[in-house]
Amino acid sequence: MFHDREDAARRLAAKLRVRKLHNPLVLAIPRGGVVTGAVLAQELGAELDIVLSRKLRAPDQPEFAIGAVSEDGQIYLNPQVSDLFGASDDYLDQERRHQLAEIARRKKLFREVRPQAPVAGRSVIVTDDGIATGSTMIAALQVVKTQKPREIIVAVPVAPPDRLDEIRRWCDDVVCLHSPETFWAIGQFYDDFSQVEDEEVVEMLRSAGGGSRTELAVMNA
């Protein structure tokens, strides 16, 4: 469907450009989502920022997400899969603390170049390079909703239909380019779905303008 994240983002921007947005803000979920978000922000003349959430991994099967945790510590459990793996309360608490530690690490790194943007009263576009279970997106939306935006629009290149139905409960509108019934992984819809590293996210946030100009070498220290 898409050559790479930039290609997908440009196609998304074409869908969003016709909308009337009030002081638009693009909130991207790192890491891959920041590539999508940077292009959206540039194409729409919007401010770019990040919103942090991390998946909660299934016991003994870390590739599966049973839910996610947001940067303010809220947990979202995916009712479709969480019961299948029998995660105990102790396991969930340990996994939550582990992912919050990673969120804190990324927050410290990224906020050196991108202080948090105000959300209240703005048209907020929350984006990622795709949605699989929807857990990290919903956890992110939980945080955004508490900051009283004017509206929340979820914009993603690809997502399964049943997950989009769940996402719609947490936002005002959804823009999705491709919603196939057969869905295995986000990467299957990209020719190039290479890993995005922290350093790339830092450079994209810096290039978007605003924030401090701390050198990357200092941030990686």
Side-chain angles (χ1 to χ4, degrees), residues 31 34 105 109-110 113 195-207 216-217 219-221:
R31 299 179 183 124
V34 179
R105 184 194 70 81
L109 178 68
F110 300 150
V113 291
Q195 174 115 351
V196 178
E197 302 296 339
D198 283 345
E199 292 82 0
E200 297 175 76
V201 173
V202 167
E203 288 304 321
M204 284 183 283
L205 293 176
R206 177 185 286 120
S207 297
L216 182 59
M219 290 184 298
N220 284 339

Side-chain angles (χ1 to χ4, degrees), residues 53-175:
S53 63
R54 294 277 296 174
K55 75 177 183 181
L56 298 172
R57 302 166 298 178
D60 302 317
Q61 298 193 57
E63 69 275 15
F64 288 105
I66 58 175
V69 60
S70 60
E71 59 186 272
D72 65 358
Q74 293 186 73
I75 281 182
Y76 168 79
L77 291 179
N78 186 338
Q80 288 191 334
V81 298
S82 58
D83 292 340
L84 296 177
F85 292 95
S88 67
D89 289 344
D90 285 345
Y91 173 84
L92 286 173
D93 182 61
Q94 181 181 11
E95 177 67 2
R96 173 181 175 273
R97 286 188 280 109
H98 174 79
Q99 298 303 338
L100 282 174
E102 175 60 15
I103 286 174
R105 184 194 70 81
R106 292 189 179 189
K107 190 172 186 177
K108 182 176 184 298
L109 178 68
F110 300 150
R111 289 300 176 206
E112 289 288 337
V113 291
R114 177 63 51 179
Q116 186 170 359
V119 170
R122 306 176 72 174
S123 294
V124 176
I125 299 167
V126 185
T127 192
D128 204 344
D129 50 23
I131 287 172
T133 68
S135 298
T136 54
M137 176 60 74
I138 290 172
L141 293 173
Q142 287 179 330
V143 173
V144 177
K145 285 173 72 72
T146 66
Q147 299 175 59
K148 303 187 184 307
R150 182 188 184 110
E151 61 178 337
I152 302 175
I153 302 165
V154 170
V156 290
V158 61
D162 61 325
R163 294 293 81 206
L164 287 181
D165 290 341
E166 179 68 13
I167 294 291
R168 286 187 179 94
R169 298 175 50 201
W170 297 87
C171 62
D172 297 293
D173 198 7
V174 172
V175 177

Side-chain angles (χ1 to χ4, degrees), residues 19-33:
R19 305 178 72 110
K20 186 176 181 180
L21 302 171
H22 179 77
N23 193 13
L25 170 66
V26 174
L27 293 180
I29 300 175
R31 299 179 183 124

